[in-house]
Amino acid sequence: MGEAAGVRRAGSPEETGLDARRRRHRRRIVSSELALSAAFALAALHGLAERDELASVSVFVAGWALNLLVLALCCSLPWSRIPGRWVILVPLTDFVAIGLSRSAAGESIPSFGLLAAFPVVWIAASRVRTGTAVAVAAVASLAMVWLPLALAAESLTFDALIDQILLPVMLAGLAWFVSEISDDNRRRQEALRASQAALRESMEVGRARERLLGTVLDTVSVGLLAVDADGHDVLMNAGQHVAHAAAAPPGNDDPNEAELLIFGADRLTPVPPDERPVARAIRGEDLDAEQIWVGTGRSQRAFSISSHAMHDDDGTFAGTVVSFTDVTELLLALQAKDDFLSNVSHEFRTPLTTILGYLELTLERRQDLPGDVADQLDVARRNAVRLERLVEDLLAINAGSFRVDPVPADVGRVLAEATSSSRVRASRAGLRLVNRAPSSLPAVVDPVRLGQAVDNLLTNAVKYNRPGGSITLDAHRSEKGLVIEVEDTGIGIESEDLHQIFDRFFRSPSVRTSAVPGVGLGLLITRTIVGEHRGSISVTSERGKGTCFTILIPQPAPAPDGQ
Ligand code: ADP
C-alpha cells in the first residue's frame, strides 16, 4: 500500500524545518522572559538592599513571585500547541508583576519603572500593528503607574496623576519606535525570503532544464559539440564521444587534435589540422554538411559535419555548435549503388554493341527488305542507340569525368547541327525552335562534347515544353568567353528544386509523375562537360513561364595582332 497523501515522512526536510522553527519560537519566549526575570531580580535585590522591609511587603513579593511564575510557565508550556496570539499574555502579565513590585517599592527604586521597557519592547516587536502596540504600551504602563494611586485614594490628585505620566509617554514612544523598526525588519526579511524562494525556484527550473537538455542530447544519435569563443569545449554529448573515439589512433585513448585520424573524401588523404571542420568552425565558419572519414581500416566511419556560429547581442563571436552525423551506411550504400550501375552498364554494353551492329548491317540492305520491316528495324535501331547512349552516360558519370579535348572549332556549326537534330522532335511536339546564334562563331571547345551538352539542353527544352511553345538558342562571345543560351517557354522549374536539378538522378516531383521519359542524368552530364571546359552553367526559371540555361566557357585571349 502506498503512503497516505499528506503524511510527512520522519526526518523529511519539511519536518526538520518545522521542528527548527518551533524550537526557535520557544527559545525566543524563554530567553525574553529570562532577560526580564534577571533584570527583575537585580531591581528587587537593589530594592531590598535599599529598604530591607520590602521583604515583608506582600505586594512586592507577589510581583516578584508572579514574574518567576511566568518564567516557569514560559519554560514549561508546550508553545508549539498554543496559538501564537496567546503569547502576548506573557508580556501583559509581566506588566502586572512589575506594576505590583513597583507600587510597593515606590519612587525610591526607579529601576522598577524601567523594567516595563521589557514587555513594551516584547509587544512592539511582536506582529501586532504599531497603533495597537502603542495603545497597549500606553494603557498597560498608565495602569501600572496610576493603579497604585487609585488604590491609595488619598494620593489620587490631578497633580499626582500628571507627575506619573512621563513614564507611560516614554514607554508608548518606545513601543512606537520598536514597532516601526520591527515592521521594517520584517518587511525586509519577507522580501529577502521571497527573493530567496524565487532564486531557489529558478535554480530548480534551471536544473530541470539542464537535466532535460542532457537527456535529449544523449538520446539523439547525432554527435554534438559546443565550443566557446576561445575554442574550449563546453558541451559534448554521448554521440560526439563516439565520433571522437572513432578518430583516435589505435592504442591512444586520449589523442590531441593533431593526432586524430581524419581523412578527405577519398578516405586516404589526411586533412591538415587547421583545415579540419572543427578547426574551421572554431574560427567562426558556418559549415554545411562537410564530409570526412575518421579512423582507418574496417572501422573507418564517415561523418557529415555542420556548424553554426553563436554571437552575443553585440555581434561578437561567442562560440559555435558543431554536429556530427554518421553517414557511413549511406555512403557505403551509395557506393554499392554506383558499383552496381557500373557493372550492369558494362554488362549491357557488349550485347548492345552487337545488336546495333547487326541492325545497321541489316538496314544497309534496306532495298532488300519489305518497307514495313525496314521501318520497324529503324525504330529498333533508334531505341538501341538511345539505350547505348544511356549506358555510355552511366559509365561516364560513374567514372566521374568526361574527357574533353578543346580545339579551335566553329561553334556556329556545332549549334546548327544540334538545332537540326532537335528540330524534328520540336516540330513533332508542336514547338517552334529558333537558332539565333551566328552561323560562324569561332571558339576553343571540344565540338563533340559541346554538341552533346547543347543537345541535352535542347532535348530538355522540348521534353519540358507545352504545345505552341518555343525554344530559342543563342550564342555570342563576351569579355568573359563564349556564352550559349537555351531558353524555352515550357513548364518551368519550382524555385525549391532549382538547386538540385544538376544532382545525379534528380527529376522534379511534377516531372516524375508525368509520362516524360528521363533518368535525371542529362543536366549532370552537361554540367560536367562545361566544367571540364573550366566553364560554368547557370539557370533561371519561373514555374509555368519557362526556363533559361546559360553556358559560359572562358576563352583564351586573342593574339595581340588580332590573328
Ligand atoms: P531528365 O531530363 O532525364 O529527367 P535532366 O538531368 O536532364 O534529367 O534534368 C533533370 C530535371 O530537371 C528534369 O527531370 C526536370 O525536372 C528538370 N528540367 C531540366 N530541364 C528543364 C527545362 N528546360 N524545363 C523544366 N524542367 C527542366
Side-chain angles (χ1 to χ4, degrees), residues 227 257 284 408 410 481 559:
V227 182
E257 185 61 34
D410 186 355

Side-chain angles (χ1 to χ4, degrees), residues 460-461 463-464 488 491-493 501 506-508 511 518-524 547 549:
N460 281 352
K463 282 200 295 186
Y464 305 116
D488 65 62
I491 58 172
I493 303 167
I501 57 167
F506 176 80
R507 307 200 76 211
S508 54
V511 164
V519 287
L521 285 177
L523 286 182
L524 174 62
T547 306
F549 285 92

Side-chain angles (χ1 to χ4, degrees), residues 411 442-445 477-482 533 553-558:
V411 173
V444 179
V445 294
R477 290 283 297 261
S478 79
E479 280 171 17
K480 293 182 179 164
L482 171 69
H533 281 88
I553 298 180
Q555 292 296 301

Side-chain angles (χ1 to χ4, degrees), residues 127-468:
R127 288 185 172 270
V128 295
R129 289 211 194 93
T130 301
T132 314
V134 172
V136 170
V139 170
S141 50
L142 272 175
M144 187 180 76
V145 298
W146 278 353
L147 263 181
L149 296 180
L151 292 174
E154 73 280 0
S155 50
L156 185 63
T157 62
F158 182 72
D159 285 349
L161 289 176
I162 291 300
D163 273 356
Q164 297 288 340
I165 200 107
L166 187 61
L167 185 63
V169 169
M170 279 173 58
L171 289 175
L174 181 65
W176 192 356
F177 177 71
V178 172
S179 179
E180 284 294 327
I181 287 186
S182 304
D183 267 1
D184 193 38
N185 253 346
R186 248 190 313 276
R187 272 196 296 274
R188 276 171 210 260
Q189 270 177 5
E190 268 157 24
L192 189 68
R193 266 199 295 276
S195 66
Q196 278 173 341
L199 189 67
R200 259 199 308 278
E201 195 177 323
S202 73
M203 277 169 67
E204 194 42 58
V205 170
R207 272 198 291 272
R209 282 213 186 123
E210 205 175 306
R211 274 195 300 275
L212 176 67
L213 180 68
T215 313
V216 170
L217 288 181
D218 284 343
T219 307
V220 294
S221 56
V222 175
L224 286 170
L225 171 71
V227 182
D228 67 13
D230 299 322
H232 300 128
D233 297 356
V234 287
L235 185 147
M236 196 190 252
N237 74 343
Q240 170 53 11
H241 282 291
V242 173
H244 193 75
N252 183 350
D253 290 342
D254 189 22
N256 62 34
E257 185 61 34
E259 289 171 328
L260 293 176
L261 301 173
I262 297 182
F263 303 93
D266 64 359
R267 307 176 68 168
L268 292 170
T269 314
V271 183
D274 61 336
E275 283 174 29
R276 292 177 181 176
V278 173
R280 284 162 48 207
I282 290 172
R283 290 201 294 270
E285 219 178 293
D286 278 349
L287 307 178
D288 182 20
E290 299 257 338
Q291 267 172 30
I292 55 161
W293 285 86
V294 307
T296 49
R298 294 173 72 84
S299 58
Q300 198 175 37
R301 313 281 315 161
F303 285 93
S304 166
I305 301 181
S306 298
S307 74
H308 195 73
M310 299 180 282
H311 292 98
D312 286 340
D313 289 346
D314 60 359
T316 324
F317 176 65
T320 187
V321 176
V322 192
S323 71
F324 298 74
T325 311
D326 190 332
V327 290
T328 316
E329 309 308 330
L330 178 68
L331 291 193
L332 292 179
L334 287 175
Q335 182 63 48
K337 187 193 73 180
D338 287 351
D339 292 348
F340 171 76
L341 277 178
S342 172
N343 292 341
V344 169
S345 306
H346 272 293
E347 294 303 319
F348 275 173
R349 192 156 58 171
T350 320
L352 252 181
T353 314
T354 313
I355 292 169
L356 258 174
Y358 279 108
L359 280 172
E360 262 149 27
L361 275 177
T362 314
L363 282 168
E364 272 172 20
R365 299 195 344 253
R366 178 181 286 272
Q367 65 283 1
D368 302 338
L369 300 171
D372 55 338
V373 173
D375 288 348
Q376 285 160 1
L377 288 179
D378 262 337
V379 174
R381 191 181 61 94
R382 255 204 320 275
N383 281 291
V385 168
R386 231 178 105 195
L387 207 55
E388 188 192 37
R389 192 154 166 194
L390 180 63
V391 167
E392 294 297 336
D393 287 349
L394 282 172
L395 284 171
I397 286 292
N398 257 14
S401 71
F402 287 77
R403 219 166 49 81
V404 296
D405 191 8
V407 290
D410 186 355
V411 173
R413 247 179 95 179
V414 173
L415 299 184
E417 278 166 16
T419 312
S420 71
S421 57
S422 288
R423 182 151 283 135
V424 183
R425 262 174 285 147
S427 63
R428 221 183 278 146
L431 304 168
R432 202 160 59 91
L433 173 56
V434 185
N435 178 10
R436 292 212 182 120
S439 55
S440 170
L441 184 60
V444 179
V445 294
D446 181 325
V448 177
R449 288 297 186 197
L450 184 66
Q452 187 184 354
V454 174
D455 203 30
N456 282 345
L457 296 182
L458 288 175
T459 306
N460 281 352
V462 173
K463 282 200 295 186
Y464 305 116
N465 220 312
R466 288 168 300 193

